[in-house]
Amino acid sequence: MKQKDLLYKGKAKSVFNTSAKGKLIVEFRDDITAFDGGKKDVLKNKGKYNAEVSAFFFDYLERNGVKTHFFTMLDPHRMVVRKLEMIPLEVIVRNIAAGSIVRNYPLKEGTPFAHPLIVIDYKDDARHDPMLNDEIILALKLVTPTELKKIKEMALKVNRLLSMLLAAQGITLVDFKIEFGRQGRTIYLGDEISMDSMRLWDKKTGGSLDKDVYRFEKGDVMAIYHKVAERITKPMNKRR
Ligand code: C5P
């Protein structure tokens, strides 16, 4: 399979056409951005760590009955994925109050929700990803009611599976953002699931193990990404 022309360049990933029908290559670059692109850097190896964790999660989710776009890794930066028609929704699942929900509403950081909260934003950089509700999503015809129901069910299943896996490594899954796409009538989990798109807290120390380290300059971002990637993909009992 050959990599062909660039199809799309996002803030941290590039997507390429390939010679194989229905397959794309996603390249995880070393670019990191925060605050709507207001803070930017290039951090050596960032792409590799995020790709490794994403691939690990996609594989784990597939084995547990969640359809994802993931096929295989070509090299540490490049992932072969199923070509999807992407749905411009950022589906966020929150277990504990943190980040924008604490800034926008009277909630104290660290307060667990009685049940996981799904918040859906419109993926549109020019409009700064405004929050949606079901009625706006359907009025915009972004998905059908059946697709919306499926997306929410999948988001909650991903939350259950990842929370369990991470808890076993001493990590609390505070919140995360995922994106979906369709091929025909089937909805697949797309994009990535990495330290850039999750909020992870160390169960022992309460310390951040994710992009908040970069956003709020809490420490050596790459040292933390490296450690957390190892912790997630090579649990203690499997490390040699
Ligand atoms: O910033 P906020 O608290 O709304 O983010 C919730 C979760 O979604 C965080 O884990 C954050 O990293 C992720 N997110 C993301 N991409 C965005 C917005 C949020 O990955 N554009």
Side-chain angles (χ1 to χ4, degrees):
M1 191 185 73
K2 282 214 176 75
Q3 180 167 311
K4 293 180 102 179
D5 52 308
L6 178 73
L7 190 63
Y8 168 81
K9 187 171 181 188
K11 291 198 279 280
K13 299 189 297 298
S14 302
V15 183
F16 297 88
N17 278 312
T18 71
S19 54
K21 195 167 176 277
K23 289 187 178 173
L24 299 175
I25 290 173
V26 177
E27 181 199 359
F28 287 70
R29 305 195 316 270
D30 285 345
D31 299 288
I32 187 163
T33 71
F35 306 119
D36 227 353
K39 182 173 158 102
K40 285 186 209 180
D41 282 284
V42 179
L43 301 176
K44 195 168 179 305
N45 289 329
K46 195 216 72 154
K48 185 179 87 173
Y49 299 138
N50 278 359
E52 187 185 13
V53 167
S54 279
F56 180 84
F57 283 151
F58 283 139
D59 177 57
Y60 163 72
L61 292 169
E62 281 281 352
R63 283 187 282 108
N64 286 280
V66 178
K67 288 193 164 74
T68 82
H69 69 161
F70 178 66
F71 285 124
T72 185
M73 292 305 293
L74 273 185
D75 60 42
H77 286 264
R78 291 184 305 151
M79 180 182 282
V80 183
V81 302
R82 182 185 297 270
K83 184 173 187 166
L84 299 176
E85 180 194 342
M86 288 306 288
I87 299 168
L89 296 177
E90 301 208 329
V91 180
I92 296 159
V93 182
R94 298 180 181 275
N95 296 306
I96 296 176
S100 66
I101 202 156
V102 167
R103 288 197 300 279
N104 297 334
Y105 303 93
L107 286 163
K108 195 171 169 300
E109 186 180 70
T111 313
F113 293 112
H115 57 82
L117 236 65
I118 300 180
V119 177
I120 306 185
D121 292 346
Y122 185 36
K123 189 177 166 76
D124 186 331
D125 279 345
R127 292 186 167 82
H128 309 289
D129 304 337
M131 192 190 288
L132 297 166
N133 64 24
D134 289 9
E135 298 201 10
I136 303 175
I137 292 170
L138 297 176
L140 290 170
K141 297 191 164 49
L142 298 175
V143 288
T144 65
T146 312
E147 285 176 334
L148 184 56
K149 188 164 169 266
K150 179 74 188 169
I151 283 171
K152 288 185 184 177
E153 281 168 10
M154 286 173 77
L156 292 177
K157 182 163 184 182
V158 170
N159 184 47
R160 280 195 299 276
L161 288 165
L162 293 187
S163 293
M164 228 166 31
L165 182 96
L166 289 162
Q169 304 313 324
I171 299 171
T172 302
L173 179 59
V174 175
D175 56 37
F176 62 94
K177 184 264 312 180
I178 46 181
E179 296 181 24
F180 294 88
R182 60 170 84 76
Q183 192 187 53
R185 284 165 169 248
T186 308
I187 300 282
Y188 291 87
L189 181 60
D191 193 52
E192 71 179 298
I193 314 178
S194 71
M195 287 71 82
D196 277 10
S197 58
M198 297 182 286
R199 201 166 262 124
L200 304 172
W201 291 350
D202 190 307
K203 279 190 191 290
K204 264 201 199 127
T205 66
S208 291
L209 304 172
D210 57 64
K211 197 152 98 175
D212 275 353
V213 178
Y214 172 71
R215 290 188 187 99
F216 305 110
E217 299 180 9
K218 293 179 173 194
D220 181 342
V221 190
M222 278 312 95
I224 290 176
Y225 272 41
H226 183 186
K227 257 197 218 143
V228 75
E230 285 268 301
R231 204 160 147 186
I232 293 171
T233 64
K234 300 178 187 76
M236 280 313 261
N237 52 3
K238 289 199 189 143
R239 272 185 222 166
R240 266 186 266 163

Short mmCIF file of all heavy atoms in Angstrom, two decimals, residues 136-160:
data_model
loop_
_atom_site.label_atom_id
_atom_site.label_comp_id
_atom_site.label_asym_id
_atom_site.label_seq_id
_atom_site.Cartn_x
_atom_site.Cartn_y
_atom_site.Cartn_z
N ILE A 136 -30.50 20.98 18.20
CA ILE A 136 -29.66 21.70 17.22
C ILE A 136 -28.96 20.69 16.31
O ILE A 136 -28.89 20.87 15.09
CB ILE A 136 -28.63 22.63 17.91
CG1 ILE A 136 -29.31 23.63 18.84
CG2 ILE A 136 -27.79 23.37 16.87
CD1 ILE A 136 -28.36 24.51 19.66
N ILE A 137 -28.47 19.58 16.90
CA ILE A 137 -27.79 18.54 16.10
C ILE A 137 -28.73 18.04 15.00
O ILE A 137 -28.33 17.92 13.84
CB ILE A 137 -27.34 17.37 17.01
CG1 ILE A 137 -26.23 17.83 17.95
CG2 ILE A 137 -26.88 16.17 16.17
CD1 ILE A 137 -25.87 16.83 19.04
N LEU A 138 -29.98 17.79 15.37
CA LEU A 138 -30.93 17.25 14.38
C LEU A 138 -31.36 18.35 13.39
O LEU A 138 -31.49 18.08 12.20
CB LEU A 138 -32.13 16.61 15.08
CG LEU A 138 -31.77 15.40 15.96
CD1 LEU A 138 -33.00 14.87 16.69
CD2 LEU A 138 -31.11 14.27 15.14
N ALA A 139 -31.50 19.59 13.86
CA ALA A 139 -31.87 20.70 12.96
C ALA A 139 -30.78 20.92 11.92
O ALA A 139 -31.05 21.26 10.77
CB ALA A 139 -32.11 21.97 13.77
N LEU A 140 -29.52 20.72 12.33
CA LEU A 140 -28.39 20.89 11.41
C LEU A 140 -28.23 19.67 10.48
O LEU A 140 -27.39 19.68 9.59
CB LEU A 140 -27.09 21.11 12.19
CG LEU A 140 -26.94 22.44 12.92
CD1 LEU A 140 -25.72 22.42 13.85
CD2 LEU A 140 -26.80 23.59 11.93
N LYS A 141 -29.04 18.63 10.75
CA LYS A 141 -29.00 17.38 9.98
C LYS A 141 -27.58 16.77 9.95
O LYS A 141 -27.12 16.27 8.94
CB LYS A 141 -29.50 17.61 8.55
CG LYS A 141 -30.97 18.05 8.49
CD LYS A 141 -31.45 17.99 7.04
CE LYS A 141 -32.94 18.01 6.87
NZ LYS A 141 -33.69 19.02 7.56
N LEU A 142 -26.90 16.85 11.09
CA LEU A 142 -25.54 16.30 11.16
C LEU A 142 -25.59 14.78 11.27
O LEU A 142 -24.68 14.08 10.81
CB LEU A 142 -24.80 16.89 12.36
CG LEU A 142 -24.61 18.42 12.31
CD1 LEU A 142 -23.97 18.93 13.59
CD2 LEU A 142 -23.75 18.80 11.10
N VAL A 143 -26.65 14.27 11.89
CA VAL A 143 -26.88 12.83 12.03
C VAL A 143 -28.38 12.59 12.07
O VAL A 143 -29.16 13.52 12.30
CB VAL A 143 -26.28 12.27 13.35
CG1 VAL A 143 -24.77 12.21 13.34
CG2 VAL A 143 -26.75 13.07 14.56
N THR A 144 -28.78 11.34 11.89
CA THR A 144 -30.20 10.98 12.06
C THR A 144 -30.43 10.71 13.56
O THR A 144 -29.46 10.47 14.30
CB THR A 144 -30.54 9.70 11.28
OG1 THR A 144 -29.79 8.63 11.88
CG2 THR A 144 -30.19 9.81 9.80
N PRO A 145 -31.68 10.71 14.00
CA PRO A 145 -31.94 10.38 15.42
C PRO A 145 -31.36 9.02 15.80
O PRO A 145 -30.82 8.85 16.90
CB PRO A 145 -33.47 10.38 15.52
CG PRO A 145 -33.92 11.28 14.41
CD PRO A 145 -32.93 11.09 13.30
N THR A 146 -31.45 8.04 14.90
CA THR A 146 -30.90 6.70 15.19
C THR A 146 -29.38 6.78 15.35
O THR A 146 -28.81 6.15 16.25
CB THR A 146 -31.24 5.73 14.03
OG1 THR A 146 -32.61 5.88 13.73
CG2 THR A 146 -30.91 4.30 14.35
N GLU A 147 -28.72 7.55 14.47
CA GLU A 147 -27.26 7.68 14.57
C GLU A 147 -26.87 8.38 15.88
O GLU A 147 -25.89 7.98 16.53
CB GLU A 147 -26.72 8.48 13.38
CG GLU A 147 -26.69 7.70 12.08
CD GLU A 147 -26.23 8.55 10.90
OE1 GLU A 147 -26.39 9.78 10.92
OE2 GLU A 147 -25.73 7.95 9.93
N LEU A 148 -27.64 9.38 16.26
CA LEU A 148 -27.32 10.11 17.50
C LEU A 148 -27.40 9.17 18.71
O LEU A 148 -26.54 9.17 19.58
CB LEU A 148 -28.28 11.30 17.67
CG LEU A 148 -28.02 12.21 18.87
CD1 LEU A 148 -26.58 12.74 18.87
CD2 LEU A 148 -29.01 13.38 18.89
N LYS A 149 -28.44 8.32 18.71
CA LYS A 149 -28.62 7.36 19.80
C LYS A 149 -27.42 6.39 19.84
O LYS A 149 -26.86 6.12 20.89
CB LYS A 149 -29.94 6.60 19.57
CG LYS A 149 -30.36 5.72 20.69
CD LYS A 149 -31.84 5.33 20.57
CE LYS A 149 -32.18 4.25 21.55
NZ LYS A 149 -32.08 2.88 21.01
N LYS A 150 -27.04 5.91 18.66
CA LYS A 150 -25.92 4.97 18.55
C LYS A 150 -24.62 5.61 19.04
O LYS A 150 -23.83 4.99 19.77
CB LYS A 150 -25.80 4.53 17.07
CG LYS A 150 -24.69 3.58 16.77
CD LYS A 150 -24.99 2.20 17.28
CE LYS A 150 -23.78 1.29 17.15
NZ LYS A 150 -23.95 0.04 17.87
N ILE A 151 -24.39 6.86 18.61
CA ILE A 151 -23.16 7.58 18.99
C ILE A 151 -23.09 7.72 20.52
O ILE A 151 -22.04 7.49 21.13
CB ILE A 151 -23.13 8.96 18.29
CG1 ILE A 151 -22.71 8.76 16.82
CG2 ILE A 151 -22.21 9.95 18.99
CD1 ILE A 151 -22.84 9.99 15.96
N LYS A 152 -24.21 8.05 21.14
CA LYS A 152 -24.21 8.20 22.61
C LYS A 152 -23.96 6.86 23.29
O LYS A 152 -23.21 6.78 24.26
CB LYS A 152 -25.54 8.80 23.07
CG LYS A 152 -25.69 10.27 22.73
CD LYS A 152 -26.97 10.79 23.34
CE LYS A 152 -27.23 12.22 22.97
NZ LYS A 152 -28.51 12.69 23.52
N GLU A 153 -24.59 5.80 22.76
CA GLU A 153 -24.36 4.47 23.35
C GLU A 153 -22.89 4.08 23.23
O GLU A 153 -22.29 3.56 24.17
CB GLU A 153 -25.20 3.41 22.61
CG GLU A 153 -26.65 3.37 23.00
CD GLU A 153 -27.49 2.53 22.03
OE1 GLU A 153 -26.91 1.81 21.16
OE2 GLU A 153 -28.72 2.63 22.13
N MET A 154 -22.32 4.33 22.04
CA MET A 154 -20.91 3.98 21.83
C MET A 154 -20.01 4.80 22.76
O MET A 154 -19.06 4.27 23.34
CB MET A 154 -20.50 4.19 20.37
CG MET A 154 -21.06 3.14 19.42
SD MET A 154 -20.73 3.51 17.67
CE MET A 154 -19.00 3.06 17.52
N ALA A 155 -20.32 6.10 22.91
CA ALA A 155 -19.49 6.97 23.77
C ALA A 155 -19.50 6.45 25.21
O ALA A 155 -18.45 6.40 25.87
CB ALA A 155 -20.00 8.40 23.70
N LEU A 156 -20.66 6.02 25.69
CA LEU A 156 -20.74 5.52 27.06
C LEU A 156 -20.02 4.18 27.20
O LEU A 156 -19.40 3.89 28.23
CB LEU A 156 -22.20 5.40 27.51
CG LEU A 156 -22.93 6.75 27.69
CD1 LEU A 156 -24.39 6.52 28.07
CD2 LEU A 156 -22.24 7.63 28.75
N LYS A 157 -20.10 3.36 26.16
CA LYS A 157 -19.39 2.07 26.20
C LYS A 157 -17.87 2.30 26.21
O LYS A 157 -17.14 1.67 26.99
CB LYS A 157 -19.80 1.21 24.99
CG LYS A 157 -19.14 -0.15 25.00
CD LYS A 157 -19.81 -1.14 24.08
CE LYS A 157 -19.14 -2.49 24.22
NZ LYS A 157 -19.69 -3.50 23.35
N VAL A 158 -17.41 3.23 25.37
CA VAL A 158 -15.97 3.57 25.35
C VAL A 158 -15.57 4.05 26.75
O VAL A 158 -14.52 3.68 27.28
CB VAL A 158 -15.68 4.65 24.28
CG1 VAL A 158 -14.27 5.20 24.42
CG2 VAL A 158 -15.90 4.08 22.87
N ASN A 159 -16.41 4.89 27.36
CA ASN A 159 -16.10 5.40 28.69
C ASN A 159 -15.96 4.26 29.71
O ASN A 159 -15.01 4.23 30.49
CB ASN A 159 -17.18 6.39 29.13
CG ASN A 159 -16.87 7.02 30.47
OD1 ASN A 159 -15.76 7.48 30.70
ND2 ASN A 159 -17.84 7.02 31.38
N ARG A 160 -16.91 3.32 29.66
CA ARG A 160 -16.85 2.20 30.62
C ARG A 160 -15.57 1.40 30.42
O ARG A 160 -14.86 1.09 31.37
CB ARG A 160 -18.06 1.26 30.42
CG ARG A 160 -19.35 1.76 31.06
CD ARG A 160 -20.39 0.65 31.13
NE ARG A 160 -20.78 0.12 29.83
CZ ARG A 160 -21.70 0.65 29.03
NH1 ARG A 160 -22.33 1.76 29.39
NH2 ARG A 160 -21.99 0.10 27.87
#
